[in-house]
Amino acid sequence: MSGSSLWDLHRTGLAGATFTDLTHAFHPGQPHFASFPDEERELLFDFAKGHGFQVHRYSIPGQWGTHVDPPVHFIEGGRTLDQIPVSEMLLPLVILDISERVAADADATPTLDDVARWEARNGRILEKCFVALRTDWYKRWPDTDRFYNRSADGVVHTPGWSREVLEHLFTERGITAIGHEQIDTDPGLATSAGSYALEHYVLSLDRWQIELMNNLDKVPETGALIMASWPKARGGSGFPARVVAIHR
């Protein structure tokens, strides 16, 4: 066998690696964008009905549970699910952790100082990597009230990204994609006012993102790989994704 075989990498290079599932299992009644209908699930065939196999029919919006947003989700003419190459689905993973600040202030967002401190510890953020924003918000899943965290006046108080950090990561560091634990790219104060400007910005750059990520606190801030995959729906504007971190 050739010494450059990836079989060798799998057998030896990944020996002892940890595979952490960054995906929520989706189901009816879970937190979701208010304008979307709930999931409907029908058992078409089942052993209890005398059938020799089991089959469900699922009715869901594309943006359901842990999911991918391709550019076309917000940008007319943008890349669709089937147009994102599989070469972008295995990437170095950076964890940008603001969870301590979020614990004290649910409206917290990352700053350039957070990025600078990460790079002081770990070196320059790699080009063509995936940056995930750790807030520990995933621990509120699947409680819709806690996940949206609305105040008495109906305003949503959830963390999100900041424009300065996104601009820096995409234009100065050349990253490929982002992800986060919340239901939106934008913080709750913005979405409550009807603004999804940060999500529009990310997708306008022909980049993609994963929303509603899970278990980011179980992954080191550097050194891991992320594997993200989803069904290849022709012309698709979003779909539940299966996302895994591979790390030591």
Side-chain angles (χ1 to χ4, degrees):
M1 183 183 298
S2 168
S4 63
S5 170
L6 291 182
W7 288 9
D8 293 335
L9 172 63
H10 184 268
R11 187 178 67 254
T12 61
L14 295 181
T18 298
F19 290 73
T20 298
D21 195 345
L22 305 182
T23 317
H24 292 290
F26 64 80
H27 56 86
Q30 68 178 25
H32 60 274
F33 186 60
S35 297
F36 292 163
D38 198 2
E39 174 185 339
E40 295 181 8
R41 190 177 300 192
E42 180 184 359
L43 194 57
L44 298 179
F45 298 89
D46 189 40
F47 305 110
K49 298 178 180 179
H51 303 130
F53 52 92
Q54 188 180 81
V55 173
H56 285 88
R57 176 164 57 194
Y58 304 90
S59 176
I60 54 173
Q63 276 67 21
W64 193 253
T66 304
H67 64 270
V68 58
D69 288 328
V72 75
H73 178 44
F74 268 39
I75 306 301
E76 186 174 3
R79 281 192 297 171
T80 58
L81 290 180
D82 53 314
Q83 293 173 332
I84 297 176
V86 293
S87 59
E88 291 187 21
M89 296 181 182
L90 181 64
L91 301 169
L93 174 61
V94 166
I95 304 290
L96 189 62
D97 182 4
I98 64 167
S99 60
E100 186 173 329
R101 197 156 72 248
V102 170
D105 176 13
D107 299 313
T109 60
T111 67
L112 291 178
D113 285 342
D114 293 315
V115 177
R117 285 191 289 268
W118 190 99
E119 293 190 326
R121 293 189 300 271
N122 304 297
R124 184 183 175 95
I125 290 175
L126 295 176
E127 188 178 3
K128 297 183 180 179
C129 75
F130 184 109
V131 180
L133 182 65
R134 176 187 162 189
T135 60
D136 287 355
W137 207 255
Y138 85 90
K139 296 178 181 179
R140 295 171 178 247
W141 182 274
D143 186 321
T144 297
D145 290 340
R146 293 189 66 235
F147 214 80
Y148 272 98
N149 196 37
R150 289 184 173 87
S151 53
D153 57 2
V155 173
V156 173
H157 294 277
T158 59
W161 287 92
S162 65
R163 178 69 181 238
E164 65 173 2
V165 165
L166 289 174
E167 287 184 350
H168 181 75
L169 292 175
F170 283 112
T171 64
E172 299 298 323
R173 295 296 180 263
I175 71 169
T176 291
I178 62 163
H180 42 269
E181 301 168 40
Q182 307 80 244
I183 209 160
D184 290 302
T185 316
D186 298 75
L189 292 177
T191 60
S192 293
S195 173
Y196 297 87
L198 297 185
E199 183 163 0
H200 186 279
Y201 170 70
V202 172
L203 302 182
S204 75
L205 297 176
D206 195 33
R207 301 302 200 268
W208 53 273
Q209 65 175 18
I210 298 289
E211 294 193 302
L212 294 170
M213 298 183 75
N214 192 19
N215 293 327
L216 290 178
D217 59 332
K218 298 177 174 62
V219 181
E221 67 177 4
T222 186
L225 296 176
I226 188 169
M227 181 172 61
S229 185
W230 49 84
K232 191 176 180 179
R234 182 184 297 177
S237 57
F239 219 98
R242 191 67 182 265
V243 188
V244 178
I246 307 170
H247 57 96
R248 299 291 185 183

